[in-house]
């Protein structure tokens, strides 16, 4: 595997389900990110981890819970979601969180909440 | 507040030149990125500008004017594969990327 991978690529879940999104980076980076991408809207930064420590949480509802067990893996745990949470969830990684920090993105998980 | 503006959609002809503009108002500036995103795919890095001027990379060039809070992406010799969304993002004072909504570029034969 190379770059940033995400699983699953597509997910349909009910409002009472619990599911998890997985991201893995094979680039030796120290920072990882979760973004939400909705149609015709800017990318919304949800969470940032640097060296496995959360450094940013942009007022994301508690029904989204991130986990970063090591610098290569990032999870987003989902529970009791709402239909408006349907979107593309993108994971990204970068060498660090300061200075020049080109981000490398995974292909995303297309989430549909029924 | 922080704001990035870019046109929602543009149309151009194969073989032509197109310029996609981006204006920004952010708390601090640590560089501006352009990314390309094909439908259903991940955004991929195109260019980075931190100093004023033009950066050229093959058919793509990116320009920055910090005093005007303005950048553009110039695509030359357009090909059908250039049909995609182009995302402008500014690194703010905390090195967080503030993203525009993206410009969908449609290339016609």
């Amino acid at each position: 595997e190379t770059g940033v991978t995400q699983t699953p690529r597509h997910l349909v879940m009910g409002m009472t389900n619990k599911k998890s999104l997985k991201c893995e980076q094979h680039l030796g980076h120290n920072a990882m990110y979760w973004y939400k991408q909705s149609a015709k809207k800017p990318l919304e930064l949800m969470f940032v981890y640097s060296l496995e420590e959360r450094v940013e949480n942009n007022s994301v509802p508690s029904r989204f819970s991130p986990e970063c067990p090591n610098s290569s893996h990032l999870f987003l745990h989902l529970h009791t979601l709402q239909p408006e949470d349907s979107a593309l969830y993108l994971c990204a990684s970068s060498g660090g969180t300061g200075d020049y920090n080109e981000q490398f993105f995974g292909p995303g998980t297309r989430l549909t909440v029924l | 507040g922080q704001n990035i503006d870019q046109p929602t959609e543009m149309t151009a002809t194969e073989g032509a030149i197109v310029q996609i503009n981006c204006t920004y108002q952010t708390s601090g500036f640590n560089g501006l990125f352009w990314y390309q995103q094909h439908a259903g795919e991940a955004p991929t890095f195109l260019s980075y500008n931190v100093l004023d001027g033009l950066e050229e990379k093959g058919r793509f060039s990116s320009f920055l004017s910090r005093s005007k809070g303005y950048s553009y992406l110039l695509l030359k010799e357009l090909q059908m594969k250039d049909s995609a969304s182009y995302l402008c993002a500014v690194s703010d004072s905390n090195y967080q990327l503030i993203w525009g909504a993206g410009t969908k570029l449609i290339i016609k034969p």
Side-chain angles (χ1 to χ4, degrees):
Chain A
E1 293 280 11
T2 59
V4 181
T5 58
Q6 290 186 244
T7 54
R9 293 293 309 275
H10 301 272
L11 178 62
V12 179
M13 58 187 290
M15 293 168 59
T16 58
N17 291 157
K18 290 185 179 180
K19 297 287 184 183
S20 295
L21 309 185
K22 179 183 176 182
C23 175
E24 185 173 0
Q25 59 96 0
H26 309 268
L27 300 168
H29 286 163
N30 292 321
M32 297 186 77
Y33 310 77
W34 278 118
Y35 285 95
K36 176 183 179 182
Q37 187 175 37
S38 303
K40 299 184 179 181
K41 288 186 177 180
L43 284 173
E44 298 174 46
L45 178 64
M46 300 176 72
F47 300 104
V48 181
Y49 277 83
S50 178
L51 297 172
E52 302 151 44
E53 295 291 325
R54 188 191 303 181
V55 296
E56 186 67 38
N57 173 0
N58 285 350
S59 302
V60 179
S62 59
R63 57 186 184 267
F64 295 92
S65 175
E67 179 188 1
C68 187
N70 55 63
S71 60
S72 298
H73 294 85
L74 186 64
F75 295 89
L76 188 62
H77 304 299
L78 316 171
H79 64 98
T80 59
L81 294 191
Q82 305 297 311
E84 60 264 29
D85 297 322
S86 297
L88 181 68
Y89 288 84
L90 290 164
C91 173
S93 70
S94 66
T97 53
D99 203 0
Y100 175 78
N101 61 347
E102 177 189 341
Q103 294 181 17
F104 293 77
F105 286 83
T109 296
R110 174 68 62 184
L111 174 66
T112 302
V113 181
L114 302 177
Chain B
Q2 308 205 88
N3 195 47
I4 310 286
D5 284 318
Q6 50 181 134
T8 303
E9 187 174 297
M10 299 182 70
T11 302
T13 304
E14 190 176 16
I17 299 173
V18 71
Q19 178 175 310
I20 302 174
N21 295 325
C22 171
T23 58
Y24 62 89
Q25 292 176 305
T26 57
S27 57
F29 179 85
N30 282 302
L32 185 144
F33 293 82
W34 283 98
Y35 279 78
Q36 179 190 60
Q37 186 178 24
H38 286 100
E41 297 183 11
T44 55
F45 171 80
L46 286 178
S47 68
Y48 172 74
N49 295 68
V50 67
L51 299 176
D52 289 351
L54 187 68
E55 294 278 345
E56 296 186 78
K57 191 185 293 185
R59 294 189 299 114
F60 292 9
S61 303
S62 57
F63 172 83
L64 175 68
S65 169
R66 288 172 297 172
S67 63
K68 295 181 179 178
Y70 168 71
S71 172
Y72 67 73
L73 181 70
L74 191 71
L75 292 75
K76 303 176 183 177
E77 302 169 14
L78 286 170
Q79 301 175 10
M80 298 302 294
K81 67 178 182 179
D82 297 329
S83 292
S85 287
Y86 292 85
L87 311 180
C88 173
V90 171
S91 180
D92 71 6
S93 57
N94 295 318
Y95 298 101
Q96 283 212 20
L97 289 187
I98 311 301
W99 295 83
T103 297
K104 183 178 180 181
L105 178 62
I106 299 168
I107 309 296
K108 295 186 175 180

